[in-house]
DNA sequence: TCTGGGGTCCTAGGACCC
DNA sequence: TCTGGGGTCCTAGGACCC
């Protein structure tokens, strides 16, 4: 029996999260900004209707935001991560055969349903998620993941679907695919959209009908797979046990320019602590570390970008060891005379902690340092990330990322829980 | 003044080996 | 004049995703 996929996607996820705990935002335009309150990364429907684009710098639309009383939020990833988990746990109850694809999307395998039942089930899931979490979702159903993505798009944009659309029950699929622009197909980015357009291919239905050899030559195996998926031949299966991570990164723009090595060392040290926490959270250790730094490409003035990759002597998840290597790296690439905007620390060559190949000459007391790291992570989990920090991360931190308009961590910090007033 | 962050996969080309 | 062939591994860069 051919598979059937449903894609459940949260509507305007970050904006919806803000709304759940602040009901007076219902019906109002909302935007959520990236780190340092730089760009728009989420918009409510009302904000989209004002013509606010995805990724637009906040300063460029400031007058518009003010004129329409748009509610502006800094991003609050602690809140969004927790809300995501609630949504996914709800979906899990409906369909354990699922893949959490991103913070706001999951693919489900719906087998053994008739067409009528599928749509009904979609509506039940949708209303349950809304009732249990407050988050509105849309459901797209089809025989491949790529088509389920398209079905979801239709569900989201066509009010009379009630938020659920089953492409298998669509009487004229070609007409529908003819209305989907090729750049809106999952897997077609700006570059391939341009290439396809030059060959007269502008809609999903045209893409579906291209010659196999031609698409293989133009877009490689990925392109051919995509076209097969559009034809209803499933090539992308559910990935239920996610492959172990290959890399972990912490890279961030600074809240204020850095122009001294000391401050750069603080920032890199702080970013390394963060990525090391992620590493331990995944129960992995790293064998390769890359540090990078860059000036502001948007500004005039001297530019400098550089990165350095260091092979670690022994795979480690121990923050001080990682900081030592990162600092050694940043010293080597740092040049005086620039205004730095951003730095990053990436860990690669990840191996499960249980399988670390130790060095004959490695005298480090690993048992002791593991206990220390657990204690550190425990304190930070209890009191909030950054409660306990390494001195090398600095104290004043003028460079720290700015979040001027952040909502409370409504669901993860006792002192920030929403208060319900009796009245 | 002010422009995000974190990932994956594929491919082409070079180095190296037999 | 004439300059193999095939395999593997690694890396950098491109393209895409949310």
């Amino acid at each position: 029996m051919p598979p059937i996929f449903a894609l459940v996607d949260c509507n305007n996820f970050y904006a919806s999260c803000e709304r759940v705990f602040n009901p007076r935002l219902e019906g109002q335009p909302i935007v959520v900004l990236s780190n340092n309150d730089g760009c728009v990364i989420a918009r409510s429907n009302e904000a989209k209707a004002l013509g606010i684009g995805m990724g637009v710098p906040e300063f460029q639309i400031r007058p518009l935001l003010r004129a329409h009383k748009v509610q502006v939020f800094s991003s609050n990833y602690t809140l969004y991560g927790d809300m995501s988990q609630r949504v996914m746990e709800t979906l899990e109850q409906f369909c354990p055969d699922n893949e959490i694809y991103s913070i706001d999307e999951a693919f489900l395998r719906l087998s053994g349903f008739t067409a009528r039942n599928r749509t009904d089930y979609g509506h039940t899931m949708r209303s349950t998620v809304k009732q249990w979490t407050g988050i509105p979702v849309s459901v797209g159903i089809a025989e491949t993941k790529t088509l389920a993505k398209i079905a979801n798009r239709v569900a989201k944009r066509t009010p009379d679907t009630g938020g659920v659309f089953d492409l298998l029950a669509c009487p004229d699929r070609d007409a529908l695919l003819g209305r989907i622009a090729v750049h809106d197909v999952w897997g077609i980015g700006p570059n391939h959209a341009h290439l396809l357009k030059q060959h007269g291919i502008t809609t999903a239905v045209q893409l579906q009908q291209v010659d196999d050899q031609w698409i293989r030559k133009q877009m490689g195996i990925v392109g051919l797979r995509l076209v097969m998926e559009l034809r209803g031949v499933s090539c992308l299966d559910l990935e239920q046990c996610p492959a172990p991570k290959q890399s972990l990164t912490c890279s961030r723009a600074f809240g204020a320019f850095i122009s001294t090595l000391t401050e750069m060392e603080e920032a890199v040290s702080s970013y390394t602590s963060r990525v090391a926490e992620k590493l331990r959270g995944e129960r992995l250790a790293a064998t390769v570390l890359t540090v990078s730094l860059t000036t502001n490409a948007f500004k005039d003035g001297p530019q400098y970008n550089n990165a350095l990759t260091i092979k670690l002597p022994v795979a480690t998840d121990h923050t001080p060891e990682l900081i030592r290597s990162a600092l050694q790296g940043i010293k080597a690439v740092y040049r005086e005379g620039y205004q730095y905007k951003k730095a990053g620390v990436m860990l690669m060559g990840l191996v499960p902690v249980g399988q670390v190949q130790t060095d004959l000459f490695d005298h480090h007391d690993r048992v002791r340092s593991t206990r220390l790291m657990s204690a550190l992570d425990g304190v930070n989990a209890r009191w909030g990330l950054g409660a306990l920090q390494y001195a090398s991360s600095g104290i004043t931190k003028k460079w720290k990322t700015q979040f001027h308009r952040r909502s409370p961590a409504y669901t993860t910090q006792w002192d920030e829980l929403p208060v319900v007033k009796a009245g």
Side-chain angles (χ1 to χ4, degrees):
Chain A
M1 206 167 102
I4 292 178
F5 296 94
L7 174 65
V8 182
D9 189 324
C10 302
N11 302 347
N12 314 325
F13 183 53
Y14 297 171
S16 298
C17 288
E18 297 295 344
R19 205 171 252 167
V20 169
F21 294 96
N22 202 340
R24 85 184 161 78
L25 297 176
E26 205 59 50
Q28 297 205 42
I30 302 173
V31 300
V32 179
L33 303 176
S34 63
N35 282 358
N36 289 313
D37 299 338
C39 298
V40 171
I41 55 167
R43 306 155 292 156
S44 69
N45 287 342
E46 298 80 4
K48 289 178 186 173
L50 291 173
I52 297 172
M54 183 69 171
V56 176
E58 183 269 345
F59 74 90
Q60 284 178 4
I61 53 166
R62 202 164 290 164
L64 181 76
L65 296 174
R66 209 164 291 154
H68 291 89
K69 296 198 167 57
V70 177
Q71 304 294 309
V72 180
F73 292 91
S74 304
S75 36
N76 185 343
Y77 290 108
T78 313
L79 175 65
Y80 310 151
D82 186 62
M83 292 305 291
S84 171
Q85 204 179 327
R86 294 171 188 223
V87 170
M88 299 308 170
E89 281 167 4
T90 308
L91 294 177
E92 170 82 19
Q93 300 200 14
F94 280 93
C95 181
D97 215 5
N98 66 61
E99 170 190 347
I100 297 174
Y101 177 69
S102 75
I103 193 163
D104 70 339
E105 288 168 81
F107 286 103
L108 316 177
R109 195 180 342 249
L110 294 186
S111 29
F113 287 88
T114 62
R116 175 63 191 275
N117 287 342
R118 275 196 303 270
T119 305
D120 288 349
Y121 203 60
H123 283 290
T124 308
M125 285 195 285
R126 190 170 177 273
S127 55
T128 308
V129 171
K130 175 75 178 158
Q131 190 185 345
W132 290 6
T133 70
I135 300 291
V137 301
S138 301
V139 184
I141 302 168
E143 64 270 45
T144 70
K145 283 179 157 183
T146 306
L147 289 172
K149 274 271 186 184
I150 289 176
N152 189 285
R153 189 183 168 81
V154 174
K156 212 164 252 156
R157 288 160 181 257
T158 319
D160 61 11
T161 60
V164 180
F165 184 72
D166 182 358
L167 196 62
L168 292 146
C170 174
D172 193 353
R173 180 179 294 207
D174 282 1
L176 186 142
L177 292 182
R179 291 192 293 272
I180 304 288
V182 83
H183 60 253
D184 290 325
V185 174
W186 190 40
I188 302 292
N191 243 290
H192 286 148
H194 182 72
L195 181 143
L196 291 168
K197 192 178 171 191
Q198 293 197 312
H199 290 87
I201 299 164
T202 58
T203 68
V205 76
Q206 290 175 303
L207 181 58
Q208 184 196 45
Q209 291 160 1
V210 294
D211 177 70
D212 288 8
Q213 300 299 318
W214 183 82
I215 197 74
R216 174 72 180 83
K217 188 151 173 278
Q218 296 293 323
M219 287 177 51
I221 192 75
V222 179
L224 181 58
R225 204 156 56 198
L226 192 158
V227 168
M228 297 305 286
E229 284 251 320
L230 282 179
R231 292 176 190 161
V233 180
S234 176
C235 304
L236 304 168
D237 202 1
L238 226 51
E239 287 173 32
Q240 290 177 275
C241 21
K245 293 250 186 242
Q246 299 183 20
S247 69
L248 288 167
T249 308
C250 176
S251 85
R252 265 172 223 161
F254 308 127
F257 287 114
I258 280 184
S259 49
T260 68
L261 178 57
T262 309
E263 281 192 309
M264 182 62 82
E265 287 174 335
E266 289 177 10
V268 164
S269 167
S270 160
Y271 293 4
T272 308
S273 306
R274 178 69 197 111
V275 75
E277 281 167 358
K278 291 193 205 174
L279 184 68
R280 292 190 292 273
E282 299 279 334
R283 308 221 160 278
L284 295 168
T287 59
V288 176
L289 178 151
T290 299
V291 285
S292 61
L293 79 185
T294 160
T295 50
N296 189 349
F298 290 102
K299 275 188 97 169
D300 293 335
Q303 300 287 326
Y304 175 66
N305 310 313
N306 209 346
L308 183 70
T309 298
I310 295 169
K311 177 104 180 66
L312 302 169
V314 180
T316 183
D317 64 353
H318 189 204
T319 301
E321 276 183 88
L322 292 165
I323 288 181
R324 206 174 309 136
S325 293
L327 290 183
Q328 183 194 323
I330 205 71
K331 272 194 195 94
V333 288
Y334 186 89
R335 298 285 176 275
E336 285 296 336
Y338 295 98
Q339 296 214 297
Y340 293 98
K341 182 59 183 168
K342 186 175 175 177
V345 179
M346 191 190 309
L347 302 178
M348 289 164 298
L350 306 183
V351 293
V353 267
Q355 303 171 18
V356 169
Q357 190 74 244
T358 51
D359 192 299
L360 199 56
F361 303 102
D362 176 33
H363 297 303
H364 207 94
D365 183 347
R366 300 214 164 257
V367 175
R368 190 162 172 275
S369 73
T370 299
R371 279 209 301 263
L372 177 61
M373 289 300 107
S374 305
L376 177 71
D377 292 340
V379 169
N380 284 333
R382 172 67 181 83
W383 299 101
L385 284 181
L388 212 50
Q389 300 183 32
Y390 279 84
S392 55
S393 301
I395 305 294
T396 58
K397 296 189 185 172
K398 285 184 300 211
W399 44 268
K400 211 167 176 244
T401 312
Q402 306 290 309
F403 299 93
H404 289 301
R405 292 179 268 196
R406 178 129 81 189
S407 53
Y410 292 113
T411 59
T412 54
Q413 285 295 317
W414 287 110
D415 52 358
E416 297 183 20
L417 291 183
V419 177
V420 179
K421 291 200 178 106

